[in-house]
């Protein structure tokens, strides 16, 4: 299934990509690594020895004036530069650049872009140490009320039939799920994590939200493995109970994460997905470039 363009940062090709590469090459950071584009081929010299490189570019769907270009040496993938660009007066200009592992510090020093655009472009959330311009993901959402969380539980939770003792699914199950048995999720906080379900609602579009619940996703042969899963939910209006479940995903750091490693057409606007932390960075090509 192809990814709907409006649901993630959009990869850039052709002349527009070439303009971004040249803008990056003419920046101080680009000159330091001798980034070049000649006859359609990209090269760079991060260690003073020029060699071929790859360059992928993505334009933010939250705000198309912003983009990211990731240039990587093909001979040494640890040598990578990410250039964050803004289109001003018809031209792309580099706002800041960072080497591998330096993106967090570079983002902290830059006032722009805002949090939603930064997360849409796959930039990290600066959560450790001092940070002049901190992007707080919680600023893009607000906490769900207990009634809203309960409405999600009423849809999804599996319950035991008192007569047959069989576990039966709730009336609305996730359209997609990283977990084979959603019945393994603990809605009363009784799992090994002791996680009491909670949720966040998108400020950009309050029809969408996520609920965090502890779910068993496998076994190591000795004990069950549990993690905090994200239940992505939707409702028809900006308030009231939630009525549908587009998906249940595991964190992208989980070894069992699967849905976030596919370019699926999630029915979630990019600004919402980025603000709620659902499968970021996205799409997969951007995630791979920033690994």
């Amino acid at each position: 299934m192809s990814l709907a363009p409006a649901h993630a940062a959009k990869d850039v090709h052709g002349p527009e990509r070439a303009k971004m590469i040249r803008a990056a090459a003419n920046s101080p950071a680009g000159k330091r690594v001798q980034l070049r584009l000649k006859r359609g081929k990209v090269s760079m010299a991060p260690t003073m020895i020029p060699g071929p490189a790859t360059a992928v570019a993505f334009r933010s769907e939250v705000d198309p004036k912003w983009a990211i270009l990731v240039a990587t040496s093909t001979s040494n993938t640890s040598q990578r530069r990410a250039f964050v660009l803004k289109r001003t007066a018809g031209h792309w200009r580099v706002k800041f650049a960072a080497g591998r592992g330096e993106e967090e510090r570079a983002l902290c020093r830059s006032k722009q872009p805002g949090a939603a655009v930064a997360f849409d472009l796959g930039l990290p959330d600066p959560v450790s140490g001092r940070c002049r311009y901190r992007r707080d993901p919680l600023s893009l959402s607000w906490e769900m009320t207990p009634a809203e969380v309960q409405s999600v539980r009423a849809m999804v939770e599996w319950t035991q039939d008192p007569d047959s003792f069989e576990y039966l699914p709730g009336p609305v199950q996730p359209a997609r799920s990283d977990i084979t048995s959603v019945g393994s999720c603990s809605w009363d906080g009784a799992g090994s994590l002791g996680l009491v379900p909670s949720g966040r609602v998108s400020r950009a579009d309050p029809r969408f939200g996520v609920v965090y619940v502890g779910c068993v996703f496998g076994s190591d042969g000795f004990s069950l493995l549990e993690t905090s899963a994200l239940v992505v939910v939707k409702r028809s209006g900006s308030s009231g109970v939630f009525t549908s479940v587009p998906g249940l995903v595991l964190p992208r750091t989980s070894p069992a994460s699967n849905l976030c490693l596919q370019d699926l057409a999630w029915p979630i606007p990019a600004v919402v997905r980025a603000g709620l932390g659902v499968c970021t960075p996205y799409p997969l090509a951007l995630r791979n470039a920033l690994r």
Side-chain angles (χ1 to χ4, degrees):
M1 182 181 293
S2 62
L3 182 69
H7 299 326
K10 185 178 180 181
D11 56 337
V12 182
H13 299 283
E16 196 70 10
R17 170 179 172 271
K19 292 177 183 178
M20 292 182 183
I21 296 174
R22 291 191 179 99
N26 289 329
S27 70
K31 291 178 180 179
R32 280 196 294 271
V33 295
Q34 299 182 48
L35 181 65
R36 297 286 187 273
L37 175 64
K38 187 175 182 179
R39 298 193 182 110
K41 295 183 179 181
V42 181
S43 64
M44 61 189 296
T47 58
M48 303 307 294
I49 303 175
T54 60
V56 294
F58 294 85
R59 199 166 181 173
S60 171
E61 284 293 339
V62 175
D63 185 347
K65 294 192 302 293
W66 289 91
I68 187 169
L69 174 79
V70 185
T72 308
S73 168
T74 56
S75 61
N76 185 356
T77 56
S78 66
Q79 299 298 324
R80 183 192 75 197
R81 291 294 183 276
F83 300 85
V84 175
L85 306 98
K86 184 179 182 182
R87 191 170 180 83
T88 306
H91 300 281
W92 288 104
R93 291 180 171 85
V94 174
K95 303 303 290 185
F96 66 88
R100 182 182 293 275
E102 299 173 350
E103 295 91 351
E104 180 179 319
R105 285 178 291 177
L107 189 60
C108 277
R109 294 192 296 266
S110 181
K111 189 175 183 179
Q112 294 181 314
V117 172
F119 299 153
D120 185 36
L121 293 177
L123 296 171
D125 166 27
V127 294
S128 59
R130 299 176 60 183
C131 183
R132 183 175 183 183
Y133 298 109
R134 187 176 298 278
R135 276 81 169 173
D136 184 359
L138 296 182
S139 68
L140 303 176
S141 63
W142 64 70
E143 189 174 359
M144 274 190 190
T145 66
E148 289 171 330
V149 175
Q150 183 59 35
S151 73
V152 177
R153 178 177 182 175
M155 284 194 297
V156 179
E157 184 181 26
W158 287 47
T159 55
Q160 189 176 38
D161 183 277
D163 298 322
S164 65
F165 300 104
E166 180 183 3
Y167 277 92
L168 305 174
V172 182
Q173 292 299 292
R176 299 187 180 106
S177 178
D178 266 333
I179 297 176
T180 304
S181 174
V182 181
S184 64
C185 298
S186 175
W187 288 90
D188 55 8
S192 61
L193 295 179
L195 180 66
V196 177
S198 62
R200 307 287 301 182
V201 178
S202 168
R203 288 188 183 275
D205 189 341
R207 294 178 302 158
F208 294 91
V210 293
V211 171
Y212 309 98
V213 60
C215 296
V216 173
F217 65 87
S219 169
D220 61 3
F222 300 95
S223 59
L224 298 176
L225 302 176
E226 186 179 10
T227 190
S228 174
L230 283 71
V231 184
V232 185
V233 292
K234 184 182 179 182
R235 56 190 171 193
S236 58
S238 59
S239 62
V241 300
F242 289 94
T243 55
S244 65
V245 188
L248 185 154
V249 300
L250 294 177
R252 57 188 174 88
T253 54
S254 170
S257 178
N258 180 42
L259 293 178
C260 289
L261 300 181
Q262 303 179 47
D263 285 346
L264 300 175
W266 289 96
I268 308 169
V271 65
V272 172
R273 186 188 47 73
L276 293 175
V278 178
C279 294
T280 54
Y282 208 65
L284 185 59
L286 176 58
R287 171 189 166 93
N288 289 341
L290 291 171
R291 290 181 65 177

